[in-house]
Amino acid sequence: YTKEIYLFTPKGKMITLPAGSTVIDFAFAIHTQLGLSCMGAKVNSKVVSNKYELKSGEQVQILSSRKMTPEEDWIDIAKTQRAKAEIKKYFRVQKRKYLLEGKNKLALDRFATIRASKLSNEDAQALQYYRGLAYSKQKKYDKAAYEFGTLLKTGAGQYQTHATYHYGYAQYQLGNYAEALKSMEQVKNSPQFKANAKPLICQLYFLQNQCDKATVLGAELVENAKNDKKYAEILRIMGICAARSNQHAESIAYLERYQKVAKRISREDW
């Protein structure tokens, strides 16, 4: 029994691979791009598929096409770690690309074809996180909350902080303010999310009639905000809370500042 096989390119270059390797493994051993576009091979002048298991001494000519892209079952067909790693990397990049381009329906359609049972734990976490993100971008917050919530329960790994924030935001959009507040409290000091989490926490306090907490946090947020439109809603909340506490002078000051920043004011809030 041999642990390695020796193969040759049409130009005579020898490629050494583990026994049991397939055409896909040979293609990736030559070049990553050739592997990604591999559609089969000529083995000793006979056309074979990507699944063909190579034998020592065979001459292999890879057949490729620019239109060819990897399929999910390639991960099972490939035997070498290099080929498997490159195929998985390709799908990770594609998932991110779909989202960055805003092709959320396409992303979800693509995710639907991925068999989570065939993925490593890390890749399965990535799949669920990006699927939740795609739902969130489509404003399907119930489905987004389910994906992020399930991920957090089963272990989110490197996506823990991001999943917590997006789960909280989805719950906020669904009107589940207490649940949203729990999540936002967990990420309020995170470098990635504190700029968004703290203003949202202030709003959540207000929505739950906790004006005292909203006022304390709001004062902290607007102290150095100057006329930043990002904090316009906080100024409105501060004005309303001050009015409810009969602090009318402060209420007017906050609402005038809000009006100046936001260029709008709702009379129904008075």
Side-chain angles (χ1 to χ4, degrees):
Y1 177 75
T2 178
K3 293 183 179 180
E4 293 183 332
I5 56 175
Y6 304 96
L7 305 157
F8 299 90
T9 69
K11 293 184 178 181
K13 180 181 179 180
M14 186 172 74
I15 304 291
T16 304
L17 291 173
S21 292
T22 64
V23 167
I24 288 177
D25 296 298
F26 186 91
F28 277 103
I30 295 174
H31 193 278
T32 298
Q33 196 55 50
L34 187 62
L36 294 174
S37 59
C38 178
M39 56 186 296
K42 283 185 178 180
V43 177
N44 293 341
S45 300
K46 180 182 177 181
V47 176
V48 298
S49 72
N50 283 337
K51 298 180 181 180
Y52 179 80
E53 189 173 307
L54 299 166
K55 302 174 184 64
S56 197
E58 290 180 323
Q59 184 188 82
V60 185
Q61 179 185 354
I62 297 298
L63 303 175
S64 64
S65 170
R66 291 182 179 179
K67 295 182 179 179
M68 188 68 182
T69 57
E71 298 177 3
E72 286 296 325
D73 62 355
W74 285 21
I75 296 173
D76 297 328
I77 295 171
K79 298 297 184 291
T80 61
Q81 289 303 310
R82 175 180 176 178
K84 286 180 179 291
E86 291 294 345
I87 296 166
K88 289 178 181 178
K89 179 181 177 182
Y90 169 82
F91 285 114
R92 284 197 297 271
V93 170
Q94 289 303 304
K95 284 180 281 186
R96 289 179 175 87
K97 181 181 177 183
Y98 291 143
L99 291 169
L100 290 172
E101 290 179 352
K103 296 180 180 178
N104 302 304
K105 186 179 186 304
L106 181 59
L108 290 169
D109 290 345
R110 189 73 185 94
F111 295 159
T113 69
I114 298 174
R115 295 168 294 170
S117 61
K118 297 292 184 180
L119 300 177
S120 66
N121 188 50
E122 181 181 345
D123 286 341
Q125 289 169 352
L127 169 64
Q128 191 154 32
Y129 172 73
Y130 283 105
R131 189 163 55 206
L133 204 57
Y135 280 131
S136 186
K137 286 178 178 290
Q138 286 192 314
K139 300 186 178 184
K140 296 180 179 179
Y141 295 113
D142 54 339
K143 293 184 177 181
Y146 173 80
E147 295 294 343
F148 292 127
T150 303
L151 178 60
L152 290 167
K153 286 178 182 177
T154 57
Q158 64 177 310
Y159 301 99
Q160 180 73 31
T161 302
H162 288 71
T164 300
Y165 172 81
H166 290 296
Y167 173 75
Y169 185 77
Q171 293 291 0
Y172 162 70
Q173 292 291 344
L174 292 169
N176 301 324
Y177 301 137
E179 189 70 14
L181 184 58
K182 288 179 186 178
S183 294
M184 291 301 162
E185 290 280 10
Q186 292 178 46
V187 298
K188 66 182 180 182
N189 295 317
S190 166
Q192 304 102 311
F193 296 111
K194 64 181 180 181
N196 292 323
K198 286 189 174 182
L200 189 53
I201 289 172
C202 185
Q203 292 182 51
L204 288 165
Y205 283 147
F206 175 71
L207 290 167
Q208 295 183 94
N209 296 314
Q210 299 180 40
C211 259
D212 52 342
K213 292 183 178 180
T215 299
V216 172
L217 180 55
E220 173 191 328
L221 293 171
V222 302
E223 183 178 5
N224 299 312
K226 296 182 180 180
N227 292 327
D228 191 342
K229 286 187 178 182
K230 182 178 180 180
Y231 295 100
E233 183 63 16
I234 305 303
L235 291 168
R236 186 182 74 90
I237 289 171
M238 296 285 284
I240 295 171
C241 285
R244 289 177 180 177
S245 300
N246 295 319
Q247 298 172 347
H248 300 299
E250 289 187 19
S251 174
I252 291 171
Y254 279 124
L255 290 173
E256 285 180 345
R257 187 175 169 189
Y258 161 71
Q259 188 175 28
K260 180 180 178 182
V261 173
K263 303 297 183 185
R264 60 181 172 80
I265 193 163
S266 175
R267 289 290 180 185
E268 65 189 41
D269 287 329
W270 287 74

